[in-house]
Amino acid sequence: MLGSAAGGGLPQWNCGCENCVRARAGDPAVPPRTQPSLALSADGARWSLVNASPDVRHQLANAKGLWPRAGTRDVPLDTVVVTNADIDHVLGLLVLREALPHRIVTTAWIRDALLDHNAAFRLLEPAFHAVKLDEPFLLDRGEALEARLFPVPGKVPTWLAALTPNAPEATLGLRVVDRRSGRRLVVAPGVRSLDSGTWAELAASELRFVDGTFWSADELLRHRPGAPDAIAMGHLPIGGRDGSLARLAGLPGRTLYLHMNNTNPVLDAGSAEAAEVRRLGVEIAMDGMELEL
Ligand SMILES: [Zn+2]
Ligand SMILES: [Zn+2]
């Protein structure tokens, strides 16, 4: 887990919410977190990223497995999978612009959104590899990790809203199957609702990373007058009767929330909300966490 927070990270530079204040002050219950990204590997030798956050440079500097080989520019990064065109998931692509040893795998919709509306992303054009929804592709140039992108209910990024309508290819989950064991993981950082397709993917996985952006629907409104509610922003809240926690609690295997906004009370390890998540057997992802499928 390279980065477990949503866009802005924790603390967010312009935010004085309680979590950000405590994280800045070094409160051990509210450790700092970077913006959302995961690294996956079948063998510890070749790696792929799920999303490239604005913090990717710092994240890779802390991930020994992803360091270039000494004396070379040979980097064990194979693929960067992009699950939506939100700034916190794609800005790191520009940070990784040198040499482009890697592929960027996403849908044609997301690729075109980036290339057509952001001239800087055209630097990366040769690296893009567009896949259709549910079309299998292999990670790490190996045979072990078979991946697919599937549609989840979401929201077209704010910066694209006026330019292009929403589409099923705009917000994705990633399923990865280890073909050696048959075990699956799913990464779904932006989920507006748990529709039947999304639920089936989560239920069929042994390890799942689920949108934990907000605890409650009005969370941002309490910090910023006029802010939209969580679902309008494309994120199903964790808490409450209709929240994701009530449904995820019963699933076997491991479930982790990721992509937490800095306002989310679960980021305070001592909060009642964090205790509730733990009590129901769900985990809150942390930067630097290593998990084995
Ligand atoms: Zn995001
Ligand atoms: Zn904050």
Side-chain angles (χ1 to χ4, degrees), residues 134-191:
D134 299 311
E135 176 186 336
F137 57 96
L138 292 167
L139 294 178
D140 296 348
R141 293 171 218 236
E143 293 296 309
L145 300 183
E146 185 188 286
R148 289 165 203 256
L149 291 164
F150 60 89
V152 298
K155 178 191 153 285
V156 64
T158 309
W159 63 267
L160 277 166
L163 299 168
T164 169
N166 209 349
E169 286 195 347
T171 312
L172 310 164
L174 172 70
R175 178 212 302 175
V176 179
V177 181
D178 187 327
R179 300 209 287 198
R180 299 164 298 186
S181 63
R183 292 166 73 81
R184 285 189 188 199
L185 71 87
V186 160
V187 185
V191 176

Side-chain angles (χ1 to χ4, degrees), residues 10 12 14-22 213-229 233 261-267 273:
L10 173 69
Q12 178 174 309
N14 64 344
C15 187
C17 76
E18 192 189 335
N19 282 341
C20 287
V21 168
R22 291 173 63 189
T213 309
F214 297 114
W215 174 265
S216 55
D218 63 349
E219 188 172 309
L220 216 49
L221 198 57
R222 278 185 247 157
H223 297 278
R224 208 182 81 208
D229 82 2
M233 293 179 75
N261 194 58
N262 57 78
T263 51
N264 193 325
V266 303
L267 295 180
E273 291 86 352

